[in-house]
Amino acid sequence: MRLSSKATTLLILAAVIAIAPVFFPSSYYFRVGSLIFVNGLAVTGLVILIGYAGQISLGHAGFAGIGAYACALAPVHLGLHPALAAVLGALLSAAIAFLVGRPILRLKGYYLAVASLGFGILVSMVLSNEAQLTGGPDGMAVPELGLRAVLKAIGIDLSNTEFWYAFSGLVLVIGAWLALNLYHSPTGRALRALHGSEVAARTVGVDVAHYKLVAFVISAVYASVSGSLLALQNKFITPDVAGFMHSIEMVTMAVLGGAGSVLGAILGAAILTTLPQVLTVFQQYEQLMLGLVMMLVMIFMRAGLLPSIARRIRGRAE
Amino acid sequence: MSLLQIEGLGIDFGGLRAVHDVGFSLKPGEIVSVIGPNGAGKTTLFNMISGVYAPARGRVVLDGEDVTRIPPHLLARRGLSRTFQNLQIFQSMSVLENAVAGHHLHERGSVFADLFSLPAARRRSKASEDSARTLLDRVGLGRAAEQEAGSLSYGALKRLEIARALALKPRVLLLDEPAAGCNAVETEEIDHLIAKVAAEGVSILLVEHDMKMVMRISNHIVVLDHGEKIAEGEPAAISRNPRVIEAYLGAQATEVQNADG
Amino acid sequence: MPELLQFLLSGITVGAVYALVALGFTIIYNASDVVNFAQGEFVMLGGMITFFAHAAGLPLPLAALIAIIVTAGIGVALNKLAIEPARGAPVVSLIIITIGASIFIRGATQLVFDKQIHRFPAFSGDQPILIGGATILPQSLWVIAGALAVFVCLWLFFTRTLIGRAVLATANNRVAAQLVGINTNYVMTLSFAMSAAIGALAGVLVTPITLTSYDVGLALALKGFAAAMLGGMGNPKGALVGGLLLGILEAMTAGYISSQYKDAAAFVVILAVLFAMPQGLFGRKSTDRV
């Protein structure tokens, strides 16, 4: 029996996450791995928005900020458990995405880009300026999730970095599973249809405004959960998580690997997350390299890394 | 009793009258063709009837209900479906997926069921996929189902659009040049397909340049020139109408007449 | 009243810079349908190169001229190396490419020059001029005059010269322009050169007031982009008015509401404008052809 592309993708992803630690020489690699997974999760959300529905957002870090600060603030002010705080953050992100998305998604192309960008900047500005609440640009501490202690009590003893590697890896696989389910579902088809031709999608009965909003809200929840995971594993958070650069990085990761494919986007997240780590030796070259990579991939591999490479291999095989 | 009734429909582009005071009606199962020289306003008329453009004047009445200026996706729910002159295919989807996408109104459901791939969502997908395969067979694309839509020929894409439009199970179907880019054999196939669909009770409004086809299958013909209706009637009457002949042959015919007189 | 006038004057000064950046956006957008997110880097380069050339002993006018020419060259290189090869790419790709170019230029500047904040002397001294109880720096007058001069020159260029009309023709319809014999590649190159030069000029004019460093470009690009959108993308008059309005709005917000949220106010109004009239103040309405 031939495996469906969904099963193949999930198998590859799970296998890489499970096997990679064998080759890790130090705990530092677990840390980089978990960062890749956290970014990969946000980027998987963007695959739904950019790759499926064809809508751009330059403000999704705003939702990551909401998710991150929910984990920092809700436990202190509302007495919520950090896990529940992350859920609250996701709900809040969904609600805000619903309200903001309705007017924003009427816009197209560059207009949509600048409107979403404006939204992201507003969120990061509030986080930096409301210093009494958020600690301002200096950031604030985030409480311990506490799951590691529970695992230890039942006999699974993981180091902090190992735990976050495994936990964010698991969340990423779940996120990828949901995104792939969506792709092959009626909703996913409606999204891809409106991406292909809005007018044709309308004439087959797709309520285009509604489905764009659906994609926007779902991707906002992904970004929010990603922000929560980042806050919880760092136990510290600054407004940079919601900043413009973070939004750009997210979109670049998605498009770099190939915004149409979940696996490609996660690969993009892996590359752009690892690049700065590799380049720490040449720190002054970091921006130069990042800019260069962004330009080269978009010029020479328009569909993104993974689809372009796949096409080339298929082309040679034929 | 007419199923679709067009009354005094008109629209202007930048002060220019693109379509003016056009009216006609369709009975269930009837095939009505709109013909006219290039730029006569046929596609614009289609865009107004299907809700893509908002008409400035006039009414569109579907089954006794005023549907003027109702957006296309709501018209689709009321049973109006269409194809496009310049193809509007979902390029990155497979042929099958394009046809499945046409089932949107029948397969849509809860987003949560779709995200978690619940049995209900899979059932909906399966049902529309089965129906899509039947439709593809019907338009002769059954064997191309798994191909990328972008790889099909122009004529095949035209038929794919028809399959997608039929997936809605429409009561009124607007076909904008369905035979353009098709060879003689394909044109005849489309010909039969349209006749069969009409025989099932679907009203068909057709724009087509292939006059032989139009004359063969139409019950009724509406002729547009410079955005206005200059004639309508049965095919035989239309082909003899001097105003129609003049509109098609234009100045040339007028000159001939003048020379004669 | 003097307070209001003071905010107005500082708003117009900042707005003139936004207008220059927005004009740069407009020129490139018209020629190529590309929104060049690296536009702010041109402003940064104008300031930085002038400073270092001046510091190396060149007289200020010569340093400024060199900065403008070098930046124009960088604009042309950007077009040839990154934009032309990507012609026909989707909007998302073009956004990534020009943002990539912006980050690249920032990284290169930081390597070639440094990460310090720099300033060179104002052209006509730092003695504020008194107007009706408010003050304005002579350099602000230079900035405002610069923006107006650029606008007038552009207007003359686009309406009175053959090549200017060729640019407009290309903006309207690339294929038709090619058919009537316009070299659209040349038009693109020219547009990037002009746009970069205008950006650099803005940098030269404003650096004595706002100072410059390798990382000021992005914020300027965003504001200029916002101003261009406010006015209606692709419309030079819109860029000028949008830039000035945005500058005044920011100054008023900073003065009367909260200086922390001056950037926020700009974006809030832009969002409001986009929702109320998505084509901007002077933009054309378009009908999708099907």
Side-chain angles (χ1 to χ4, degrees):
Chain A
M1 198 194 97
R2 202 170 140 257
L3 276 175
S4 71
S5 61
K6 182 166 97 183
T8 317
T9 303
L10 287 174
L11 263 176
I12 293 176
L13 189 63
V16 169
I17 292 174
I19 294 168
V22 176
F23 305 99
F24 286 173
S26 73
S27 71
Y28 169 75
Y29 287 77
F30 284 97
R31 161 94 183 130
V32 176
S34 59
L35 278 178
I36 290 175
F37 302 154
V38 166
N39 284 330
L41 186 68
V43 172
T44 304
L46 282 183
V47 166
I48 294 170
L49 185 68
I50 301 176
Y52 296 5
Q55 307 300 307
I56 190 165
S57 166
L58 296 185
H60 257 53
F63 297 116
I66 292 169
Y69 276 86
C71 286
L73 292 170
V76 181
H77 294 276
L78 306 175
L80 283 182
H81 186 274
L84 283 178
V87 174
L88 178 72
L91 290 175
L92 190 63
S93 289
I96 291 175
F98 183 79
L99 291 176
V100 174
R102 210 159 253 280
I104 275 187
L105 291 162
R106 288 199 343 235
L107 307 168
K108 286 182 181 149
Y110 291 113
Y111 287 83
L112 176 59
V114 78
S116 57
L117 184 157
F119 162 75
I121 287 182
L122 289 180
V123 173
S124 74
M125 222 174 272
V126 170
L127 294 177
S128 320
N129 288 340
E130 299 305 316
Q132 308 95 313
L133 196 62
T134 64
D138 297 334
M140 67 183 298
V142 179
E144 173 78 44
L145 177 61
L147 186 58
R148 194 156 70 93
V150 177
L151 287 176
K152 194 168 183 178
I154 59 167
I156 305 172
D157 192 7
L158 295 172
S159 77
N160 188 45
T161 48
E162 283 167 357
F163 167 75
W164 281 107
Y165 178 89
F167 187 62
S168 30
L170 179 69
V171 177
L172 176 63
V173 172
I174 294 172
W177 175 66
L178 294 175
L180 291 165
N181 283 343
L182 195 68
Y183 185 88
H184 296 283
S185 75
T187 300
R189 263 191 296 278
L191 293 177
R192 290 184 290 137
L194 75 89
H195 184 187
S197 163
E198 265 190 39
V199 67
R202 281 202 174 93
T203 56
V204 298
V206 176
D207 183 346
V208 166
H210 169 76
Y211 278 96
K212 283 182 181 175
L213 196 58
V214 165
F216 195 71
V217 170
I218 293 175
S219 60
V221 170
Y222 271 85
S224 179
V225 173
S226 151
S228 295
L229 283 177
L230 185 72
L232 288 169
Q233 74 165 279
N234 285 355
K235 298 184 185 63
F236 192 79
I237 203 72
T238 70
D240 283 345
V241 68
F244 176 68
M245 274 317 284
H246 190 211
S247 282
I248 294 300
E249 275 169 12
M250 278 161 56
V251 174
T252 308
M253 287 170 182
V255 182
L256 181 73
S261 97
V262 170
L263 207 56
I266 294 172
L267 177 70
I271 293 172
L272 274 203
T273 310
T274 326
L275 195 67
Q277 315 288 339
V278 178
L279 289 175
T280 41
V281 200
F282 314 97
Q283 211 197 350
Q284 64 270 42
Y285 292 100
E286 189 186 321
Q287 293 210 334
L288 199 74
M289 291 301 296
L290 176 67
L292 204 59
V293 168
M294 287 167 76
M295 286 193 283
L296 289 179
V297 171
M298 280 302 101
I299 293 169
F300 296 109
M301 299 182 167
R302 269 187 215 175
L305 275 175
L306 201 64
S308 295
I309 292 170
R311 196 161 300 162
R312 212 154 289 179
I313 291 171
R314 228 177 296 146
R316 200 169 296 163
E318 274 165 15
Chain B
M1 169 63 190
S2 62
L3 183 55
L4 180 71
Q5 194 163 335
I6 313 299
E7 298 168 5
L9 216 54
I11 192 171
D12 310 322
F13 291 133
L16 228 83
R17 278 188 171 174
V19 171
H20 182 61
D21 196 21
V22 172
F24 55 88
S25 65
L26 269 87
K27 291 196 257 306
E30 197 179 23
I31 301 176
V32 173
S33 291
V34 180
I35 62 167
N38 279 327
K42 303 179 298 274
T43 295
T44 306
L45 180 69
F46 262 37
N47 283 339
M48 285 191 285
I49 297 173
S50 61
V52 176
Y53 293 168
R57 300 170 295 276
R59 297 204 308 157
V60 179
V61 181
L62 181 63
D63 204 9
E65 196 186 351
D66 187 344
V67 295
T68 324
R69 282 179 280 276
I70 284 186
H73 71 272
L74 296 180
L75 280 173
R77 288 187 202 178
R78 289 173 165 84
L80 187 140
S81 161
R82 71 169 288 184
T83 67
F84 296 87
Q85 183 193 355
N86 56 351
L87 295 164
Q88 296 288 333
I89 288 289
F90 307 133
Q91 292 284 353
S92 59
M93 293 189 182
S94 73
V95 171
L96 179 64
E97 281 182 309
N98 265 276
V100 175
H103 293 76
H104 175 73
L105 289 174
H106 307 288
E107 69 168 5
R108 76 204 154 105
S110 132
V111 175
F112 280 95
D114 286 356
L115 269 173
F116 290 93
S117 197
L118 299 182
R122 274 180 289 173
R123 240 188 339 261
R124 283 184 272 123
S125 284
K126 181 81 175 65
S128 47
E129 195 184 310
D130 291 345
S131 162
R133 284 193 193 276
T134 313
L135 282 169
L136 287 178
D137 284 338
R138 205 172 166 189
V139 300
L141 289 172
R143 272 200 263 163
E146 312 301 332
Q147 281 182 39
E148 230 175 272
S151 68
L152 292 189
S153 72
Y154 189 80
L157 289 174
K158 280 276 176 193
R159 283 179 285 152
L160 178 56
E161 276 207 349
I162 297 177
R164 188 178 68 191
L166 284 175
L168 261 85
K169 304 191 178 68
R171 293 192 292 166
V172 178
L173 179 59
L174 278 59
L175 300 173
D176 201 344
E177 298 193 18
C182 297
N183 60 34
V185 179
E186 288 173 330
T187 304
E188 212 182 307
E189 283 169 13
I190 288 178
D191 209 329
H192 289 312
L193 179 65
I194 294 174
K196 241 164 70 196
V197 171
E200 289 160 14
V202 179
S203 304
I204 291 178
L205 188 60
L206 179 73
V207 164
E208 184 50 63
H209 278 297
D210 185 334
M211 278 308 136
K212 271 194 245 157
M213 174 175 167
V214 168
M215 292 298 163
R216 205 161 48 220
I217 66 172
S218 309
N219 302 111
H220 194 84
I221 294 178
V222 176
V223 188
L224 292 189
D225 188 28
H226 297 295
E228 297 193 37
K229 186 174 82 178
I230 57 165
E232 74 174 304
E234 289 181 2
I238 290 296
S239 60
R240 288 192 303 268
N241 187 317
R243 282 198 70 186
V244 177
I245 296 167
E246 191 190 308
Y248 264 91
L249 300 176
Q252 217 179 344
T254 320
E255 273 162 32
V256 173
Q257 277 173 349
N258 288 348
D260 285 350
Chain C
M1 242 5 234
E3 198 185 46
L4 178 69
L5 186 64
Q6 185 63 63
F7 295 148
L8 198 62
L9 287 176
S10 61
I12 291 174
T13 307
V14 182
V17 178
Y18 296 162
L20 283 170
V21 180
L23 281 169
F25 270 122
T26 303
I27 295 169
I28 290 180
Y29 181 76
N30 275 343
S32 62
D33 283 335
V34 172
V35 168
N36 173 30
F37 279 90
Q39 194 65 32
E41 309 309 321
F42 297 149
V43 182
M44 178 275 288
L45 285 171
M48 289 292 275
I49 298 174
T50 305
F51 169 79
F52 279 94
H54 183 57
L58 292 178
L60 197 54
L62 184 61
L65 187 67
I66 289 174
I68 291 170
I69 292 171
V70 170
T71 307
I74 292 171
V76 171
L78 173 66
N79 174 46
K80 286 285 169 205
L81 300 177
I83 306 295
E84 264 185 30
R87 174 162 300 160
V91 169
V92 181
S93 308
L94 288 168
I95 290 175
I96 305 273
I97 288 174
T98 57
I99 290 177
S102 154
I103 295 174
F104 177 81
I105 293 174
R106 206 183 317 158
T109 308
Q110 163 204 327
L111 280 177
V112 175
F113 299 127
D114 59 20
K115 292 172 100 167
Q116 307 302 311
I117 296 172
H118 299 291
R119 175 183 192 272
F120 45 80
F123 303 170
S124 313
D126 294 315
Q127 188 63 47
I129 303 163
L130 242 110
I131 307 174
T135 60
I136 188 167
L137 290 170
Q139 191 65 26
S140 293
L141 296 178
W142 275 100
V143 175
I144 296 164
L148 288 176
V150 166
F151 179 75
V152 170
C153 288
L154 281 178
W155 181 72
L156 289 174
F157 175 75
F158 284 124
T159 54
R160 299 292 161 83
T161 68
L162 195 61
I163 177 69
R165 287 183 196 171
V167 175
L168 282 187
T170 311
N172 273 324
N173 189 331
R174 169 178 302 277
V175 180
Q178 270 167 346
L179 285 176
V180 299
I182 294 171
N183 182 344
T184 53
N185 272 344
Y186 172 69
V187 166
M188 287 263 295
T189 305
L190 182 74
S191 302
F192 270 86
M194 276 170 45
S195 179
I198 291 170
L201 176 70
V204 169
L205 293 173
V206 81
T207 298
I209 306 174
T210 59
L211 317 189
T212 195
S213 73
Y214 79 105
D215 60 355
V216 299
L218 187 66
L220 281 168
L222 295 183
K223 299 291 179 59
F225 183 26
M229 289 234 158
L230 184 60
M233 208 67 208
N235 183 317
K237 192 169 64 186
L240 185 73
V241 175
L244 291 175
L245 275 180
L246 186 58
I248 291 168
L249 191 82
E250 268 191 26
M252 294 297 161
T253 312
Y256 290 112
I257 302 171
S258 149
S259 61
Q260 284 177 326
Y261 281 103
K262 77 177 166 69
D263 299 322
F267 278 104
V268 167
V269 167
I270 286 150
L271 290 178
V273 169
L274 281 177
F275 299 150
M277 39 179 159
Q279 305 303 320
L281 294 173
F282 297 94
R284 281 172 303 180
K285 256 191 95 169
S286 67
T287 312
D288 288 340
R289 286 196 65 90
V290 182

